[in-house]
Amino acid sequence: MTDRSVVPVNFFEGGYLNRLSWLRSSHVFLNAIVVSPSTRWVLFKEGKPLVASNAPPLSDPIQSPDPDAPKGSRTRYLARLPTSEVRSLLGSEPFFSQGKVEGTLAESDDPVLEAARIRGPPIVFLGLHQDTTSEQALPSSDFSAKSDALAVAARIQGTAFFSLDVSDIPDDVLEVTLQETGLGKSGAKLAFTDARLAMGTYDYFDAAVVASARGLVDWNARNKFCPACGSPVYSLWAGWKLSCSSLLPWADNMGRKPCPSGRGIQNFAHPRTDAVVIVVVVNEANDKILLGRNRKWPGMFYSAMAGFIEPGESLEDAVKRELWEEAAVKVWAGSFVAQPFPANLMVGFYAIADPAIPTRTDLDNELADARWYTRDEILAVLAHPDGTKIGSRDPTKPLPKPDSSAAGALAGDDASKSNGTSDPDTPPQGPPFRLPPLSAIAGVLVSDWAFGKVVIGESRQLKKGNL
Ligand SMILES: [Zn+2]
């Protein structure tokens, strides 16, 4: 029976994989686990994960930890391919700790060669899914260079997950490979689908895997050159570090100054997570909330206001500054919840402000409107069948046309229904305005407040000092 304590508060979170971060440097472990029959691959193309639809019901034992989720009946899900089905896309062995010459293992324990991947498409080791009853840390000594890798891999209980970025693999090669997979032969439709458009496709497990994988895939794809000297970079630690190629033992650095990133092991480049504060402002009586409408958002879509945290700011500092800069609102007190999304950590806040003080929309050129709504107004929209359906589910993008693309078709029944062919700005008997869905942290913030599930606590930091 599923333990309710493992059901995450928000979508796109939940540590279902044991990330085994101490084994990312072990090529013995990685090269053994990568060819294990139980290993599964999540594919990405230009940041979009591979999704299977009209697929055979997921027989994989890994299911949503949500006890209310239907078991084994999903026919649309994140595709998880065994190594044998993607082997032709992975490049030459060894996959990790590649030497100077293709096909050779780096014969060195130099830190700049730890699980180095110099050739082949970008791969990230995401972690191991283990049965919750046997969740144990694996002993790192088992994976020393002298150990019998295959014997070690055979002892591993669970399913290892890797991501593979196929963006640079020719479409025709990719298409043939996918057709030959078990899913392809079953007649399932396999399509690379925007992570946010496919939200309705995922269960909590899929969403958590996509969130961390997409962040890593995106980071590896965007960082091609050393920030210190401009040399190309290569992958270390199974996709979790990047290093300057001028540091490779065989690099020809004649006539060049040593790269500053080589001074001290701490200078390898690590994936980054940008923190964002997202704020629902309430009045002191706790019967109204302030929401904003971005100029780029479709229709009458209102949501919590948000902004990136800047260097030198605490979360609370950023909440105060964002509301002040965006809408001239001074806030105090608050409480928060957090949700990761690729490369961002969305930290949701409740803050208190005075509705008697007029808001402004002339400060931030992205804010079209900001207004206070009563609890009854919010509850009415939440109760409306189209109240939280924003079509594309991505409020920053225009609404997709129905059937115009695989992405549109995969966006979910609700999306195609609510789009129709009518103008999304004036749907017949539509809600007076729209709110974010529960799969977005803003939707959780608004809904929890509307249904009286939150106590707006007092934060010492927010009370401290005034703007
Ligand atoms: Zn460099």
Side-chain angles (χ1 to χ4, degrees):
M1 196 176 157
T2 309
D3 177 0
R4 278 198 176 265
S5 67
V6 300
V7 179
V9 175
N10 297 298
F11 221 49
F12 290 118
E13 70 174 37
Y16 307 122
L17 297 181
N18 185 347
R19 297 189 181 200
L20 302 175
S21 56
W22 69 98
L23 290 175
R24 290 172 189 156
S25 58
S26 168
H27 67 85
V28 175
F29 166 74
L30 292 164
N31 285 327
I33 196 80
V34 80
V35 293
S36 164
S38 65
T39 290
R40 291 292 178 271
W41 293 78
V42 180
L43 271 54
F44 284 81
K45 186 176 171 63
E46 283 145 21
K48 297 174 180 174
L50 184 68
V51 169
S53 52
N54 298 322
L58 191 60
S59 58
D60 203 304
I62 301 166
Q63 292 286 343
S64 170
D66 180 352
D68 298 327
K71 299 293 179 205
S73 58
R74 291 189 305 146
T75 57
R76 194 167 62 187
Y77 42 80
L78 182 68
R80 311 146 183 206
L81 306 177
T83 303
S84 58
E85 293 185 345
V86 297
R87 174 64 191 85
S88 62
L89 306 177
L90 301 179
S92 58
E93 291 192 53
F95 299 121
F96 300 102
S97 278
Q98 296 175 337
K100 181 183 178 186
V101 178
E102 183 167 358
T104 63
L105 197 65
E107 288 176 17
S108 164
D109 55 4
D110 191 321
V112 301
L113 292 170
E114 283 176 341
R117 190 164 164 80
I118 295 153
R119 290 170 286 273
I123 287 175
V124 179
F125 172 60
L126 301 171
L128 190 67
H129 181 268
Q130 295 166 300
D131 192 310
T132 48
T133 56
S134 66
E135 206 163 343
Q136 291 166 358
L138 290 165
S140 58
S141 56
D142 272 356
F143 303 100
S144 67
K146 294 188 187 76
S147 63
D148 178 346
L150 292 178
V152 164
R155 287 207 302 277
I156 292 170
Q157 302 285 311
T159 303
F161 277 82
F162 284 85
S163 69
L164 171 67
D165 186 351
V166 297
S167 302
D168 290 335
I169 292 171
D171 284 347
D172 53 341
V173 173
L174 194 56
E175 200 174 318
V176 170
T177 307
L178 294 181
Q179 278 168 3
E180 289 301 309
T181 61
L183 277 172
K185 288 179 185 165
S186 77
K189 182 180 175 187
L190 289 166
F192 291 95
T193 306
D194 185 280
R196 280 176 285 196
L197 288 177
M199 261 186 200
T201 301
Y202 304 140
D203 67 359
Y204 282 108
F205 178 86
D206 286 352
V209 169
V210 166
S212 59
R214 190 183 180 282
L216 268 298
V217 166
D218 186 64
W219 175 72
N220 277 282
R222 285 171 191 264
N223 292 276
K224 298 292 189 193
F225 299 97
C226 172
C229 78
S231 299
V233 294
Y234 63 96
S235 170
L236 277 178
W237 284 38
W240 290 82
K241 281 187 182 184
L242 292 170
S243 176
C244 175
S245 55
S246 78
L247 304 183
L248 286 166
W250 52 82
D252 178 6
N253 294 318
M254 281 285 283
R256 297 181 54 177
K257 274 201 256 179
C259 175
S261 77
R263 290 188 217 121
I265 196 162
Q266 72 279 10
N267 277 336
F268 294 111
H270 293 267
R272 66 184 232 198
T273 290
D274 298 325
V276 174
V277 291
I278 181 159
V279 193
V280 163
V281 180
V282 304
N283 62 341
E284 201 130 34
N286 197 21
D287 58 9
K288 282 183 188 169
I289 56 172
L290 177 72
L291 299 175
R293 187 165 77 77
N294 191 297
R295 283 185 205 287
K296 294 179 196 160
W297 292 346
M300 287 289 284
F301 179 72
Y302 280 77
S303 188
M305 282 180 262
F308 284 103
I309 290 170
E310 296 187 349
E313 280 186 327
S314 68
L315 296 168
E316 291 86 353
D317 290 337
V319 168
K320 289 194 287 188
R321 178 182 52 77
E322 279 297 332
L323 267 296
W324 178 239
E325 286 183 357
E326 284 196 22
V329 173
K330 289 191 177 187
V331 299
W332 64 93
S335 52
F336 72 93
V337 292
Q339 178 187 47
F341 190 75
N344 287 348
L345 177 69
M346 306 286 287
V347 188
F349 275 84
Y350 294 100
I352 299 176
D354 182 359
I357 296 172
T359 56
R360 288 172 59 179
T361 55
D362 59 322
L363 299 170
D364 183 320
N365 59 15
E366 294 204 339
L367 188 67
D369 188 22
R371 64 174 76 172
W372 289 87
Y373 288 105
T374 65
R375 193 182 302 270
D376 285 346
E377 286 174 313
I378 297 292
L379 287 171
V381 171
L382 292 177
H384 192 286
D386 289 336
T388 61
K389 286 169 186 166
I390 53 167
S392 70
R393 290 175 181 261
D394 176 0
T396 65
K397 299 268 170 60
L399 294 167
K401 290 192 175 67
D403 306 316
S404 64
S405 67
L410 285 172
D413 296 335
D414 50 345
S416 44
K417 254 185 267 165
S418 68
N419 284 347
T421 49
S422 61
D423 180 356
D425 285 12
T426 53
Q429 283 116 33
F433 61 99
R434 292 175 198 246
L435 291 166
L438 278 177
S439 51
I441 190 169
V444 175
L445 289 170
V446 171
S447 168
D448 281 0
W449 173 80
F451 290 106
K453 289 184 189 168
V454 288
V455 177
I456 313 297
E458 297 223 335
S459 158
R460 189 169 52 79
Q461 274 82 6
L462 273 176
K463 286 198 74 133
K464 209 168 62 178
N466 291 312
L467 282 163

